[in-house]
Amino acid sequence: MAGGPEDKRRLILDAAVRVFAREGYHDARVGDISKEAGVAYGLVYHYFTSKEAVLEAVFRETWGLMLTAIRGVEERGGPAPDQLRRVCAIVLRSWRDDPDLVRVLVREVARSPQIQREIDEIEQAFAALERIVERGQEEGTFTRDLSARMVALMLYGALEEILTGWVMSQLPDDDDAVAEAERTIVALFAQGLCR
Amino acid sequence: MAGGPEDKRRLILDAAVRVFAREGYHDARVGDISKEAGVAYGLVYHYFTSKEAVLEAVFRETWGLMLTAIRGVEERGGPAPDQLRRVCAIVLRSWRDDPDLVRVLVREVARSPQIQREIDEIEQAFAALERIVERGQEEGTFTRDLSARMVALMLYGALEEILTGWVMSQLPDDDDAVAEAERTIVALFAQGLCR
DNA sequence: TCGAGTCGATTGACGAGTCAATCGGGCGCC
DNA sequence: GGCGCCCGATTGACTCGTCAATCGACTCGA
């Protein structure tokens, strides 16, 4: 099993993340991926039906993990603002955990023509955020004046833009900055700007 | 002059917006653009050095107008929350004004590998938002606890995500919804969620 | 006559995807 | 235990369609 087929698949997938992060999906050649993985060109097609399928697998597997983590927050329960904070922490910390992966997701998937916004999967992330906001409204912590769906969208956009800022190095991204981003987004969405 | 060269250039540019909106940049053929514009294939290359240059011109000219409008808001002055509201109105209403253009900007430019985030131009939009937030902090309307730059980024992301929601039809986009989006984003950033 | 503006068939590069050949290790049979 | 067969894993040279970009010809007003 140590040399089983799944290993090569993972090898290719991990290599693809590095290559896509380095070159971008469009400029990345399938040959670059096989080379980076140390396998033959054709093997990529043994495990994936196309170059796009490789990107899709990267997205699907990562996104699945993220959704699971978010659902974990929901199940653990607690006050809505706390849940929001924990979700933001998960999303923002992913940058420290695997910058290449975040780079690929932000640049190629978030709004890409390839994988035109795996609507379904991304919708589930919105839905989770929306549920948390709704729960806050029901428990009376959050105002009912704002549409939970729209707030969820804006929260998602704010998080994505912070990650993008890091990917594009428009924003410092040391540990302090990551912690500050967490603090800022929670404070902003909870209390707003006005003093 | 009615048949002067600038006319054909505009013709091509406008056609390109429609074609990119319809097909996406990658799938759009240069021939599609010339056909849509009703000019010969080669003429596209008379006015632009490459297909990518066409997209870039679309971005640059539109973004210029938007920056001018935002600077207009700044110059007109007034309380920071008001300025924020006016900027949001400009951005969000652009969807009603020219959906094709917004579709292209959101899908192809915002995070694209082509025109890799015309860093400079987009930075100026961030900077304008940042200045407005800072002014609010100086006049004492906004809390000084949050980094103006980060807030600017989050605001930008929230706006972009709303537009994206419309582009991807994940969000109703009738006149009422546009008005509600304006109200929601201003209320959220000013007061936050907590009651 | 001149050249700016216009035309569109041609081309040449390029890279995704194919496929036939080879490898290798598990398994049954002697 | 050892031999050899079988089949999936692996290889990489090659094919083949696709466009972006070029370029030489044509038009027409000055």
Side-chain angles (χ1 to χ4, degrees), chain A residues 87-98:
Chain A
V87 169
C88 292
I90 289 172
V91 173
L92 295 178
R93 282 174 198 174
S94 67
W95 170 248
R96 303 324 304 276
D97 294 344
D98 194 339

Side-chain angles (χ1 to χ4, degrees), chain B residues 161-186:
Chain B
E161 193 63 38
I162 295 295
L163 290 178
T164 304
W166 288 332
V167 166
M168 306 284 176
S169 23
Q170 298 169 325
L171 209 54
D173 70 332
D174 51 286
D175 286 332
D176 281 356
V178 173
E180 194 200 340
E182 253 174 80
R183 215 192 87 241
T184 305
I185 197 164
V186 173

Side-chain angles (χ1 to χ4, degrees), chain B residues 28-30 41 45 50-51:
Chain B
R29 316 271 139 253
V30 175
Y41 188 102
Y45 286 91
S50 67
K51 177 183 160 186

Side-chain angles (χ1 to χ4, degrees), chain A residues 50-78:
Chain A
S50 67
K51 178 182 162 187
E52 188 172 325
V54 177
L55 180 59
E56 189 173 323
V58 168
F59 164 74
R60 206 169 288 281
E61 293 180 19
T62 311
W63 204 259
L65 290 177
M66 175 124 323
L67 282 179
T68 304
I70 293 176
R71 295 218 178 88
V73 169
E74 286 193 86
E75 275 160 25
R76 198 173 134 193

Side-chain angles (χ1 to χ4, degrees), chain B residues 92-143:
Chain B
L92 295 179
R93 281 173 199 176
S94 67
W95 170 247
R96 302 326 301 280
D97 294 345
D98 194 340
D100 277 349
L101 191 50
V102 171
R103 178 170 273 118
V104 172
L105 293 181
V106 162
R107 288 203 316 206
E108 314 298 347
V109 179
R111 258 176 202 73
S112 80
Q114 11 276 354
I115 299 188
Q116 62 273 39
R117 268 214 149 198
E118 298 293 322
I119 305 271
D120 207 48
E121 331 270 314
I122 298 199
E123 175 59 35
Q124 296 195 35
F126 286 147
L129 293 177
E130 196 178 341
R131 280 195 302 276
I132 294 178
V133 173
E134 274 169 351
R135 225 169 282 127
Q137 291 176 323
E138 280 159 19
E139 75 189 27
T141 319
F142 290 162
T143 176

